[in-house]
Amino acid sequence: MDNDPVDRELAELAIELALGAGELARHRRESGFDISAKSTPTDLVTAVDRDVEAWLTAQLGRRRPDDAILGEEGAGRPGSSNVRWVLDPIDGTVNFVLGLPSWAVSVAAEREGVVVAGCVYNPASRELFRAERGRGAFLGDVRLAGPRTVPLERSVVGTGFSYDADLRARQGAVVAALLPKVADIRRIGSAALDLCAVASGRLDAYYETGLQPWDRAAGLLIATEAGGAASGWRGAGPDDQLTAVCHPAIASEFIALLEELGAASVG
């Protein structure tokens, strides 16, 4: 695929923004921060989340003032260009608060509704995952080849859970039914890093319900550019009802199993 100069510019800026935001978050974490709750007592947000999103928004306002923005913590503006930035200042806020090293800044750029560039940066590990539409996915300078080629029963599957206690209980029942049919389950705590884990072969498959655009935009591009097959519920594309990614060889079987277990109906 020919290198689109606009996509290339957006991809380079996504990397720059993710690195800058990640280092800001890392330094702010070391100096202390306030914590509050959003939708439920377990749905945490910190002053760092908001400050990092404000920094990202300010950078985009200076660099690309005509682009639209959608951010997890409320940053949003319409744009007159065909570009929208989808921002998650800290994906995995609970991990960030607890000091678990699995949280990330996620930055994605859409053109006419299609994600063309994405970057997920984990400041704790200093790992930077990136992708540009049609150009592959990378961890640093190493091209990613996607998940292993293993049957579903040998697959290690990642997932996540709602902040709502009733939904968590129902999602737990789905996991209990899924566990005997796969090798094992992992719960990392960051959808963006889960998707990157599929891209890098650290997970064989991943599914989750209730993801918002900022949770999945960058990571999903990285996973699919690495060769992962992505799907939603009943033939739809990945969305808030269901986002699932795995090796193409087990995609039909994996999605059919999730549908049999009613995975999306509990989202």
Side-chain angles (χ1 to χ4, degrees):
M1 180 175 181
D2 292 337
N3 193 3
D4 186 305
V6 177
D7 287 0
R8 173 98 309 259
E9 178 184 350
L10 296 174
E12 290 174 353
L13 182 54
I15 294 169
E16 182 181 337
L17 291 172
L19 285 170
E23 291 310 297
L24 173 61
R26 189 172 62 82
H27 288 306
R28 285 292 311 278
R29 190 186 186 285
E30 293 170 354
S31 62
F33 50 88
D34 295 327
I35 306 169
S36 57
K38 295 192 288 186
S39 60
T40 73
T42 58
D43 184 8
L44 302 183
V45 63
T46 72
V48 184
D49 293 78
R50 297 189 177 102
D51 290 348
V52 170
E53 185 164 289
W55 182 88
L56 287 165
T57 303
Q59 293 295 313
L60 286 168
R62 180 172 61 84
R63 302 281 292 275
R64 295 189 61 92
D66 296 329
D67 294 351
I69 294 176
L70 175 66
E72 181 183 12
E73 307 307 334
R77 72 177 190 215
S80 58
S81 70
N82 64 354
V83 174
R84 182 175 76 159
W85 293 87
V86 184
L87 311 173
D88 195 338
I90 298 178
D91 187 55
T93 298
V94 173
N95 289 346
F96 176 84
V97 169
L98 295 175
L100 295 170
S102 297
W103 55 275
V105 177
S106 176
V107 177
E110 299 173 343
R111 289 179 68 189
E112 299 180 348
V114 176
V115 179
V116 298
C119 184
V120 174
Y121 177 52
N122 180 346
S125 66
R126 308 294 177 92
E127 289 184 315
L128 186 142
F129 299 87
R130 58 186 175 88
E132 181 184 341
R133 179 179 57 173
R135 306 293 293 181
F138 298 82
L139 171 53
D141 293 327
V142 177
R143 189 174 186 121
L144 299 177
R148 301 180 299 169
T149 305
V150 294
L152 185 58
E153 60 267 25
R154 289 179 51 202
S155 297
V156 177
V157 180
T159 192
F161 303 106
S162 171
Y163 290 113
D164 179 270
D166 290 337
L167 285 178
R168 275 204 312 276
R170 288 151 58 194
Q171 290 168 336
V174 171
V175 168
L178 176 63
L179 187 54
K181 300 177 183 297
V182 299
D184 212 340
I185 299 288
R186 293 291 182 270
R187 199 303 199 231
I188 294 173
S190 163
L193 291 178
D194 280 323
L195 289 162
C196 291
V198 174
S200 58
R202 297 172 183 176
L203 289 175
D204 300 308
Y206 164 75
Y207 79 96
E208 190 162 349
T209 59
L211 294 186
Q212 297 302 310
W214 47 78
D215 297 314
R216 65 179 183 265
L220 191 58
L221 179 68
I222 292 164
T224 54
E225 283 291 325
S231 181
W233 183 243
R234 302 190 182 212
D239 57 18
D240 59 349
Q241 192 172 21
L242 177 67
T243 296
V245 185
C246 61
H247 193 284
I250 62 168
S252 296
E253 185 182 5
F254 183 50
I255 296 301
L257 178 58
L258 293 177
E259 291 180 353
E260 176 189 337
L261 300 177
S265 66
V266 301

